[in-house]
């Protein structure tokens, strides 16, 4: 490796350190103060319209990524040149880095919501870059020396590695802050009609809350870290087998007619008696209306929903158009969706398990055929069709608890989303099944609570529950595992009465 290649690499490593350090400092000074984003933002704002349109045409929705990658390539070339020049005349290195730091600082300070310290990430990054470049140019000054070369490579590798790791961590934290701020600033539109008032008597004492608070709502997804989506950049594309492909932005979505509905979501992985189920008040726009506008072609029997992180689910087109309140949802229990539950936009479909219907962080809807596309969980052994199975659960008394003899109220939940629960029965040991009292409910799209006053006698007892839906189907006793399309069987608990 000759001297000038080493010098060039030193320049690139120093630039990497500058960017990495800047990303870390930006965690404190604000998301938009990191130089890469700040400079990118200035370019986007100042570039003439036709150029922007051309970029969008060429790069599609990846135009912002293309901008960042382009900037990185230019920067690498610049940094390489600075390294080479600095090896000959040190002051050129210092001046080159200073210029680079200044561009970043000015760009950051002129962003519209710049904080008072917006210049700091660029300046701190530049200062550290000067030091790193100085060290690296000094290392292995004698190229013939084997030991010097090894030290040099180690130094470059270490600097670049730390810079990339630190920068990535910083970026993750700043994007989380930015999205948190954007979420706090969201003003949800009012629904077309006021939400249905919760009737008195939906809640049975000691049973899981009828409405699950957001913080306790079960969470299931494949995301190691939930996608952080700034709503101002969010878009939903409806395309595929449609006559009118549609793209809507966050602003456009919020202007659409909104409704608010209680819908109980359930996971196909929920075991009999399990708690991967929750009920919330969702605010959203009926997906049916958007699909009507897109005008699906005959034969497009599957609506594939795709999330920002590439996860997919496939929903029968007919289900989304049959009149049920399937929502492109933006609100959950009166708040913008929590990030973990799909902010800014997700789907909620009454009656279908989440893995075939409830795409969080949704960015794309593609009309296709079940015969042509398998969504994420299908090749992994789960059924392409996932209607929620009729189920019931005993919440009180809890398994293994001790109670005194006398009246013990047995209570729990039962669900048959979009069909409705008609009857719940309880069985004590091998006695005949006895009918429980059904609590009030909002609609057939939510679970329903029930209670049964049991005259408990001393000893150990097995309690079982089974539900019947409004079609007259009674929950099957035959146990089935969760895969491929949902568990069945009766929930039983054993309790001790003293
Ligand atoms: N993007 C994305 N959306 C997703 C999933 C996922 O892995 N990624 N999991 C689905 C599954 S399996 C379920 S049960 C529901 C759960 O929604 P929740 O986490 O809000 O309760 O989200 C669905 N939406
Ligand atoms: Mo799920």
């Amino acid at each position: 490796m000759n001297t000038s290649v080493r010098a060039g690499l030193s320049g690139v490593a120093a630039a990497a350190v500058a960017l990495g350090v800047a990303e870390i400092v930006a965690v404190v000074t604000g998301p938009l103060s990191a130089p890469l984003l700040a400079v990118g933002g200035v370019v986007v704002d100042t570039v003439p319209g036709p150029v922007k349109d051309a970029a969008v045409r060429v790069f599609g929705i990846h135009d912002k990524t293309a901008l960042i990658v382009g900037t990185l390539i230019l920067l690498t070339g610049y940094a390489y040149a600075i390294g080479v020049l600095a090896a000959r005349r040190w002051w050129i290195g210092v001046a080159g880095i200073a210029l680079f730091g200044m561009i970043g600082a000015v760009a950051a300070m002129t962003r519209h919501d710049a904080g008072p310290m917006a210049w700091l990430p660029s300046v701190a990054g530049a200062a550290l870059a000067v030091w790193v470049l100085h060290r690296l140019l000094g290392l292995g000054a004698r190229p013939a020396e084997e030991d010097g070369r090894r030290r040099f490579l180690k130094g470059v590798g270490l600097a670049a590695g730390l810079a990339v790791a630190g920068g990535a961590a910083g970026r993750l934290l700043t994007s989380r802050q930015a999205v948190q701020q954007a979420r706090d600033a969201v003003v949800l539109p009012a629904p077309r009609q006021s939400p249905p008032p919760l009737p008195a008597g939906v809640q049975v004492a000691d049973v899981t809350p009828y409405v699950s608070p957001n913080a306790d709502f079960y969470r299931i997804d494949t995301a190691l870290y939930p996608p952080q989506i700034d709503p101002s950049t969010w878009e939903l594309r409806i395309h595929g087998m449609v006559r009118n492909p549609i793209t809507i932005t966050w602003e456009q979505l919020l202007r659409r007619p909104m409704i608010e509905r209680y819908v109980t979501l359930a996971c196909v992985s929920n075991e009999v008696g399990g708690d991967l189920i929750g009920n919330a008040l969702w605010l959203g726009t009926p997906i049916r209306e958007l699909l009507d506008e897109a005008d699906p072609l005959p034969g497009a029997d599957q609506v594939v929903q795709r999330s920002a992180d590439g996860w997919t689910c496939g929903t029968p087109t007919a289900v989304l158009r049959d009149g049920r309140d399937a929502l492109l949802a933006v609100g959950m229990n009166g708040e913008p969706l929590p990030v973990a539950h799909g902010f800014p936009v997700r789907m909620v479909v009454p009656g279908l398990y989440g893995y075939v219907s409830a795409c969080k962080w949704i960015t794309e809807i593609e009309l296709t055929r079940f015969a042509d596309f398998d969504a994420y969980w299908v090749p992994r052994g789960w059924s392409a069709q996932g209607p929620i199975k009729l189920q019931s659960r005993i919440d009180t008394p809890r398994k293994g608890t001790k109670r005194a003899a006398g009246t013990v109220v047995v209570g729990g939940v039962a669900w048959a989303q979009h069909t409705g629960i008609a009857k719940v029965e309880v069985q004590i040991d091998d006695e005949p099944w006895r009918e429980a009292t059904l609590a009030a409910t909002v609609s057939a799209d939510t679970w329903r609570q029930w209670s049964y006053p049991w005259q408990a006698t001393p000893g150990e007892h097995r309690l079982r529950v089974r539900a019947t839906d409004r079609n007259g189907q009674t929950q099957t006793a035959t146990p089935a595992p969760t895969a491929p399309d949902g568990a069945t069987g009766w929930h039983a608990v054993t309790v001790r009465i003293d």
Side-chain angles (χ1 to χ4, degrees):
M1 203 189 324
N2 71 36
T3 325
S4 73
V5 172
R6 283 190 189 202
L9 289 181
S10 302
V12 173
V17 166
L19 290 183
V21 165
E23 291 290 342
I24 296 169
V25 176
V27 173
V28 181
T29 56
L32 290 180
S33 61
L36 202 52
L37 275 191
V39 172
V42 170
V43 172
V44 168
D45 292 352
T46 51
V47 120
V51 177
K52 220 183 293 186
D53 293 345
V56 173
R57 261 199 310 280
V58 174
F59 298 110
I61 55 167
H62 300 298
D63 57 333
K64 299 212 174 52
T65 316
L67 174 68
I68 299 283
V69 170
T71 310
L72 279 175
I73 291 170
L74 282 181
L75 192 66
T76 306
Y78 177 77
Y80 192 93
I82 292 289
V84 172
L85 293 174
R88 296 200 202 127
R89 284 203 172 56
W90 172 240
W91 70 264
I92 300 184
V94 176
I97 293 173
L99 177 66
F100 161 78
M102 225 150 71
I103 292 172
V106 169
M109 279 160 60
T110 52
R111 302 274 68 208
H112 73 100
D113 42 5
M117 303 297 279
W119 50 273
L120 189 59
S122 299
V123 171
L128 225 80
V130 169
W131 181 75
V132 168
L133 184 61
H134 192 255
R135 296 261 345 204
L136 289 176
L137 289 178
L139 285 179
R142 284 141 306 183
E145 210 177 285
E146 183 60 31
D147 190 43
R149 177 186 308 179
R150 212 174 297 130
R151 278 212 332 257
F152 169 76
L153 286 176
K154 248 201 222 151
V156 167
L158 193 71
L162 285 177
V164 168
R171 174 55 59 85
L172 210 66
L173 284 170
T174 49
S175 71
R176 196 174 70 176
Q177 284 175 349
V179 169
Q180 218 61 261
Q181 284 170 16
R183 183 177 177 272
D184 291 346
V186 168
V187 180
L188 290 177
R192 196 150 47 176
Q193 315 136 11
S194 308
L198 217 49
V202 291
Q203 185 66 47
V204 170
D206 298 328
V207 169
T208 307
Y210 176 75
V211 179
S212 320
N214 289 356
D216 302 340
F217 204 96
Y218 82 95
R219 176 187 165 195
I220 294 286
D221 53 61
T222 58
L224 291 178
Y225 189 79
Q228 305 290 315
I229 303 173
D230 185 332
S232 68
T233 65
W234 179 87
E235 275 182 0
L236 175 72
R237 204 156 71 89
I238 305 181
H239 65 113
M241 293 174 65
V242 295
R243 288 196 184 85
N244 285 320
I246 298 177
T247 300
I248 58 169
T249 65
W250 171 248
E251 297 293 323
Q252 290 166 333
L253 176 65
L254 292 192
R255 280 199 297 271
R256 295 188 68 86
M258 294 277 163
I259 60 175
E260 212 169 20
R261 292 288 184 269
Y262 288 98
V263 175
T264 299
L265 220 66
C267 183
V268 69
S269 300
N270 196 29
E271 304 281 352
V272 173
D275 56 7
L276 298 181
I277 177 165
N279 184 39
L281 180 61
W282 306 97
L283 173 77
T285 193
I287 190 65
R288 178 177 8 104
E289 296 172 9
L290 271 165
L291 289 178
D292 286 350
E293 286 171 35
D295 199 1
L297 295 171
D301 61 355
Q302 178 174 226
V303 174
V304 172
Q305 309 168 30
R306 189 169 281 113
S307 94
D309 64 354
W311 185 84
T312 51
C313 65
T315 314
T317 311
V319 166
L320 297 182
R321 305 184 84 187
D322 73 357
R324 74 184 71 200
D325 294 323
L327 299 180
L328 196 55
V330 297
M332 181 178 185
N333 291 328
E335 285 176 31
L337 293 176
V339 170
H341 295 289
F343 181 79
V345 186
R346 76 172 304 166
M347 195 82 95
V348 172
V349 182
L352 300 186
Y353 286 122
Y355 84 107
V356 291
S357 71
C359 187
K360 305 192 274 189
W361 315 291
I362 190 170
T363 56
E364 206 181 314
I365 287 179
E366 184 179 353
L367 275 288
T368 177
R369 298 188 178 93
F370 277 103
D372 292 342
F373 184 79
D374 282 340
Y376 185 86
W377 284 113
V378 175
R380 291 168 172 83
W382 298 80
S383 168
Q385 303 289 331
I388 297 176
K389 292 183 179 175
L390 173 61
Q391 263 298 335
S392 53
R393 185 181 81 194
I394 298 170
D395 283 359
T396 181
R398 299 212 168 273
K399 176 163 89 182
T401 48
K402 283 190 196 163
R403 293 294 184 91
T407 305
V408 170
V409 177
V410 183
V413 284
W415 58 91
Q417 282 91 324
H418 207 58
T419 303
I421 292 293
K423 185 165 77 172
V424 168
E425 296 164 290
V426 173
Q427 186 190 43
I428 313 296
D429 302 319
D430 287 315
E431 290 172 25
W433 288 90
R434 304 260 161 68
E435 207 167 323
T437 304
L438 292 179
T441 190
V442 166
S443 76
D445 291 343
T446 75
W447 57 11
R448 190 160 186 185
Q449 306 205 346
W450 54 267
S451 61
Y452 172 75
W454 167 40
Q455 300 312 313
T457 55
E460 199 168 78
H461 299 282
R462 183 198 63 195
L463 314 181
R464 293 205 290 191
V465 64
R466 71 179 185 197
T468 299
D469 70 17
R470 287 208 188 125
N471 291 337
Q473 301 283 6
T474 296
Q475 196 184 322
T476 177
T478 313
T482 55
D485 62 358
T488 59
W490 292 336
H491 186 215
V493 301
T494 304
V495 294
R496 246 209 99 68
I497 303 297
D498 292 328

